[in-house]
Amino acid sequence: MSVETAYDYLYTGALIWLSVLILFMLVRSIMGPRITDRLLAINMIGTLVISCIAVLSRLLDESYLIDAALIYAMISFVSVLILAMIYIPVRQTRGKFEKDARKEIRAERGIRGSVTESGSPEYKAGKEAEKPAYEKGNAGLDNGRDTQQDASLQEKGGSRT
Amino acid sequence: MIGEWIRFGITCLLLIAALVGFTAAVIGAYRFGFVMNRLHAAGIGDTLGIFLVICAVSVSSGSFLEAAKAFLIIVFLWFTSPASSHFLSQIEYYTNPHLYRYVDRKIQDGPHSDEKEPE
């Protein structure tokens, strides 16, 4: 067997395996549960296609295909960038989302508090256990400050009634 | 003749390593439970795989000009791949309102507790 046929087998096998990986990433981009998964799969398909073109340039022995791979790299980056610009807001509205989600969690805790009596030791133990670690011992972020205020308000309300 | 076979061996090793890297990236993009983990696996595997493929192409081509053009791809991709990973994680940060819930659970349960992402 000469070296040329060995190279042919190597490059053909690599191309087949790369196309199988591209098919897998295509399936991932179709069934991805979040938008990030889909964009991630598109990004990865771009990289796999670039490596396909690079291997193909050696299989066909045409060096200009490397230029095509370079252009493809630029275009795939721009596509990911444009799609990201659609989803990243210009004004940063992350705080609004987080406030809504915190309201949800407070509603859940309020439901649990109404089931057990709010002054009882089981309720206090449960509340302490479901706090994340950085909130324990009154140390932490504004999240911790919020729950602390809630607890003090509830204590005041309990003493009033 | 024996030099040609040595060059073929080096190309073969680099190309197979690149395919292993890409395969690891695809498996990571399928098997991790949280979006950021999948993003990490795919980004790392991408970068390693494209580097090894371009090394294999450069070794097997043998001409300096072609190798230099191929390394231009690596230079470009090593700048743009972290940038696009950054943008993708920014998308996740802005569009997933339950992200901090996951982080809370991680702090409570320890670093290896993720099997499902929070709904």
Side-chain angles (χ1 to χ4, degrees), chain A residues 34 94 97-98 101, chain B residues 34-36 89-106 117-119:
Chain A
R34 288 194 55 75
R94 166 81 186 168
F97 279 127
E98 203 164 304
Chain B
F34 185 52
V35 185
M36 294 295 188
S89 57
Q90 241 180 342
I91 291 175
E92 180 64 24
Y93 180 75
Y94 283 121
T95 60
N96 192 357
H98 299 293
L99 193 62
Y100 81 99
R101 210 183 262 213
Y102 175 81
V103 175
D104 277 1
R105 214 183 57 194
K106 290 290 275 192
E117 72 184 277
E119 288 299 327

Side-chain angles (χ1 to χ4, degrees), chain B residues 67-87:
Chain B
K69 270 197 299 189
F71 269 92
L72 211 57
I73 297 179
I74 294 183
V75 170
F76 190 76
L77 270 177
W78 278 11
F79 276 107
T80 60
S81 173
S84 52
S85 287
H86 174 76
F87 284 123

